[in-house]
Amino acid sequence: MAHSHKAKHYTGLMDWLTTVDHKKIGILYLIAGGLFFLMGGVEAILIRIQLLYPDQKIFIGDTFNALTTMHGTTMIFFAAMPIIFAFMNAVVPLQIGARDVAFPFVNALGFWLFFFGGVMLNTSWFLGGAPAAGWTAYSPLASIVDPTISYHGVDFYVLGLQIAGLGTLIGGINFLVTIINMRAPGMTYMRMPLFTWTAFITSALILFAFPAITVGLVELMFDRLFGGAFFDVAKGGNAVLWEHLFWIFGHPEVYILILPAFGIISEIVSTFSKKRLFGYSSMVFATALIGFLGFMVWVHHMFTTGIGPVGNAIFSIATMAIAVPTGVKIFNWLFTLWGGQIRFTTANIFATAFIPTFVMGGTTGVMLAVPAADFQYHDTYFVVAHFHYVIVGGLVLGLFAGAYYWWPKMFGRMLNETLGKIHFWTFFIGFHMTFFPQHFLGLMGMPRRVFTYQPGVGLEEGNFISTIGAFLMGIGTIVFLINTISTARLPKNAPADPWDGRTLEWAIPSPPPEYNFKQTPLVRGLDPLWKEKMAGNKEMTPAEPIGSIHMPSPSILPLIFSIGFFIAGFGFMYHTYVVSVIGIAIMLLCMLLRSVYDDHGYHIEPEELNDKGVKA
């Protein structure tokens, strides 16, 4: 049956600016997140250069404060989050047997909002100074507005995070709907791969956590731009209110970051052990429990604010309770490896190195959960070491593992394994050199966010080793970049299933066609592709005959809408309301066009599928 709707096809740059294909959006997230990761890494190295020796005067005062603020903010919100969204976009629809996400247009809008939020924050370097109030932007430091100087640093933070946060929020809603509604026949909840489960729970955390930071940022914006009094104690406000709002979001955010890494490790450990994941159902329930408990522990960041012994004790116990489901995961990964036919590919080396490193981060977390001890550790380098063992030793190792594992599926090219192993060892050794000494620096009393330290008090050696380690991590990252660039120059050589995988994404060509599956697959158990392989089938059993496939049309509106938001933000920041009106008008015009113009998309007919010679 012929369809009258013509396909809109763009090429080159226009194709990427208008795409609503979840796989291309995943690549856009990966590229943008990678660029912000490099920026955050450079900021970290500059911080470590200043701390290489005592009494250095390279980056001091507000310059150092801006570096620490921008490093933390960039790495959390504009590097880690988008790279997680890159893998969610590239992999989740394939793992559940879907042809696309539920709302392709919204998916594109989420990316462009995130991207322009990140651009807005980083333009602060060139427009009068970056924010220097710490990545947590505590009041009253973040609330101070001096009308005699044109410093807008924290305004960039407030508006950039609001724009990017809106993109993340609608992205999370999109994935919730996709996973609930678009699973292939037979793909019950308890047959979903662990990465899809972690993406699902992460999206739920985004849905409930991001409104808290949004409220806090709106209130801080009113304080700064319109003379509000939410956090100004002199006007009857409460500075601790910001801490509560920030950490009600901030602690679930840690699990928004780490849960997808847990999912990646679960996929890789299972694939390269040639074994089904040990204790699958307990892993699912442990993931859900971590997400649930994550909302009940935010005050452990605030033990020193004077909440009192009862409040501190309740949140201390809740924090320690998270160790139980996390321990379940650790032992299940070890039992999956136990007795397996283990292949130490680069992806699996990163995944197995993740396990003991993350355990170290979790152990210091339990130490910080004791209020009496936390009074000593608080605001020292011990906390910096703990946090980086969780986020870098956990999340970043997990993301690198995922990159080596899914690169062939995303780009159709195999990364070089030798370069991959060089990357691993330089990064891994550099990581431990950087952050392991910081535990002891903290216990010796070195405060964080301070740009110098006294000579002769025993802090020189730890800081020197730490800085050398940071350079090693940088070298490892450069090796990874060389690997990706040199691979991109080669022809596409990845087979559909390079790792002898177990889940549905390995059942289709690498990279996947725009419609993902020629026929929706029929899922007959956990690890559906492996089940078909064990039954002697070379491909998935289809759940439908070959038919016409409906595809969404590309659109430039998400990009233009985000630019309108970006323009409006600058107008509010500089109190130039004509500019704000122009930005809001662009946004409203995009919303109007989206509402009144009914785009039916287009269809790929069976004859075209056969012409392309694509295997099911």
Side-chain angles (χ1 to χ4, degrees):
M1 175 184 148
H3 293 84
S4 59
H5 306 303
K6 291 273 165 76
K8 274 197 277 187
H9 281 302
Y10 299 104
T11 55
L13 180 63
M14 196 64 182
D15 179 32
W16 291 95
L17 296 178
T18 60
T19 187
V20 294
D21 181 348
H22 69 92
K23 299 174 289 296
K24 288 182 177 173
I25 290 170
I27 292 169
L28 287 172
Y29 268 116
L30 190 65
I31 293 167
L35 289 172
F36 286 125
F37 183 83
L38 292 177
M39 285 184 207
V42 169
E43 287 154 1
I45 286 172
L46 296 180
I47 291 166
R48 289 309 323 164
I49 287 172
Q50 166 60 24
L51 294 169
L52 181 60
Y53 298 111
D55 278 344
Q56 292 212 99
K57 294 183 172 55
I58 305 170
F59 307 107
I60 61 172
D62 268 355
T63 306
F64 187 85
N65 293 340
L67 283 172
T68 54
T69 301
M70 289 294 285
H71 165 68
T73 308
T74 301
M75 284 302 202
I76 297 285
F77 296 104
F78 300 108
M81 287 291 294
I83 295 172
I84 288 167
F85 265 85
F87 291 140
M88 284 166 64
N89 267 288
V91 176
V92 167
L94 304 183
Q95 286 196 332
I96 62 174
R99 289 217 169 91
D100 210 325
V101 292
F103 308 116
F105 181 92
V106 172
N107 200 20
L109 180 60
F111 167 75
W112 289 113
L113 284 170
F114 140 74
F115 178 73
F116 281 104
V119 170
M120 172 170 270
L121 180 68
N122 280 279
T123 54
S124 62
W125 286 114
F126 312 105
L127 295 173
W135 78 274
T136 53
Y138 274 13
S139 236
L141 197 57
S143 303
I144 297 166
V145 180
D146 186 348
T148 62
I149 56 171
S150 59
Y151 169 67
H152 290 280
V154 179
D155 299 333
F156 282 100
Y157 175 96
V158 167
L159 290 160
L161 287 191
Q162 281 186 86
I163 295 170
L166 182 62
T168 305
L169 182 60
I170 63 177
I173 293 168
N174 199 357
F175 278 102
L176 278 175
V177 178
T178 300
I179 294 169
I180 291 168
N181 280 347
M182 301 191 69
R183 288 167 286 127
M187 177 66 77
T188 61
Y189 282 108
M190 293 310 285
R191 287 178 177 174
M192 293 196 315
L194 238 291
F195 180 70
T196 299
W197 259 114
T198 56
F200 183 57
I201 291 166
T202 293
S203 300
L205 293 181
I206 288 170
L207 180 64
F208 291 109
F210 266 76
I213 189 69
T214 303
V215 167
L217 288 168
V218 168
E219 291 179 350
L220 187 56
M221 180 180 73
F222 270 85
D223 274 17
R224 291 189 59 82
L225 301 183
F226 308 119
F230 290 103
F231 309 122
D232 187 342
V233 177
K235 296 179 182 174
N238 185 348
V240 178
L241 175 62
W242 167 264
E243 293 189 40
H244 279 292
L245 287 169
F246 185 89
W247 289 117
I248 286 169
F249 150 80
H251 203 82
E253 168 70 6
V254 173
Y255 297 107
I256 289 167
L257 295 174
I258 203 67
L259 287 180
F262 287 172
I264 292 168
I265 302 308
S266 301
E267 301 289 327
I268 292 172
V269 162
S270 173
T271 297
F272 293 113
S273 300
K274 276 200 181 310
K275 281 176 67 181
R276 181 179 153 177
L277 186 68
F278 183 91
Y280 169 85
S281 55
S282 67
M283 289 289 261
V284 170
F285 290 120
T287 306
L289 188 55
I290 289 170
F292 179 71
L293 290 173
F295 281 97
M296 301 183 181
V297 297
W298 79 89
V299 174
H300 69 215
H301 297 270
M302 301 168 58
F303 282 152
T304 58
T305 53
I307 286 164
V310 175
N312 283 358
I314 291 167
F315 283 94
S316 172
I317 292 163
T319 303
M320 293 181 190
I322 288 190
V324 177
T326 308
V328 168
K329 286 181 160 298
I330 299 292
F331 283 109
N332 282 4
W333 289 325
L334 294 176
F335 289 138
T336 303
L337 288 163
W338 185 269
Q341 300 173 36
I342 302 173
R343 286 177 291 156
F344 282 113
T345 61
T346 304
N348 200 28
I349 293 174
F350 271 105
T352 47
F354 166 100
I355 300 171
T357 310
F358 184 78
V359 168
M360 290 177 69
T363 304
T364 52
V366 174
M367 294 169 69
L368 287 160
V370 181
D374 184 78
F375 269 69
Q376 306 303 316
Y377 305 138
H378 196 80
D379 272 341
T380 71
Y381 260 76
F382 189 86
V383 177
V384 177
H386 155 72
F387 185 73
H388 284 84
Y389 261 83
V390 172
I391 297 299
V392 185
L395 172 65
V396 176
L397 290 184
L399 294 179
F400 278 134
Y404 282 95
Y405 184 58
W406 282 312
W407 201 270
K409 187 54 61 183
M410 291 176 74
F411 295 96
R413 295 175 175 86
M414 304 291 289
L415 288 173
N416 183 293
E417 284 287 307
T418 305
L419 284 175
K421 291 182 169 70
I422 294 169
H423 167 209
F424 168 76
W425 286 112
T426 50
F427 191 89
F428 187 70
I429 293 168
F431 162 75
H432 284 286
M433 280 179 66
T434 304
F435 297 108
F436 191 70
Q438 290 181 9
H439 292 99
F440 302 100
L441 292 172
L443 293 174
M444 292 163 75
M446 182 170 172
R448 60 180 175 163
R449 297 179 183 166
V450 171
F451 61 81
T452 190
Y453 50 94
Q454 293 292 313
V457 292
L459 301 177
E460 294 96 332
E461 295 83 357
N463 275 295
F464 184 84
I465 293 167
S466 196
T467 300
I468 301 303
F471 276 100
L472 260 181
M473 290 169 74
I475 291 166
T477 307
I478 290 167
V479 172
F480 176 68
L481 282 177
I482 292 168
N483 197 350
T484 58
I485 293 165
S486 61
T487 306
R489 300 163 85 96
L490 301 172
K492 293 181 179 179
N493 64 342
D497 185 15
W499 311 122
D500 194 16
R502 310 175 72 85
T503 45
L504 283 178
E505 74 264 34
W506 306 112
I508 56 175
S510 301
E514 59 184 323
Y515 46 81
N516 296 349
F517 295 90
K518 187 175 177 182
Q519 294 165 278
T520 302
L522 178 66
V523 175
R524 301 198 289 177
L526 185 63
D527 292 345
L529 180 58
W530 190 258
K531 196 165 183 68
E532 298 294 333
K533 287 178 183 175
M534 292 299 99
N537 300 326
K538 292 227 164 97
E539 54 191 36
M540 291 299 300
T541 304
E544 60 178 7
I546 293 177
S548 178
I549 298 173
H550 177 261
M551 301 296 295
S553 295
S555 174
I556 196 73
L557 290 179
L559 172 61
I560 296 172
F561 180 94
S562 304
I563 291 171
F565 217 141
F566 182 73
I567 292 168
F570 274 104
F572 283 119
M573 194 186 310
Y574 289 99
H575 299 282
T576 311
Y577 297 116
V578 175
V579 175
S580 298
V581 170
I582 292 169
I584 292 168
I586 292 170
M587 293 159 59
L588 292 173
L589 180 64
C590 290
M591 293 164 74
L592 179 69
L593 289 173
R594 176 68 179 166
S595 301
V596 300
Y597 177 59
D598 192 13
D599 192 330
H600 296 283
Y602 63 97
H603 287 80
I604 299 174
E605 303 300 338
E607 312 84 67
E608 296 176 74
L609 295 174
N610 294 329
D611 288 345
K612 292 175 183 177
V614 179
K615 293 178 184 175

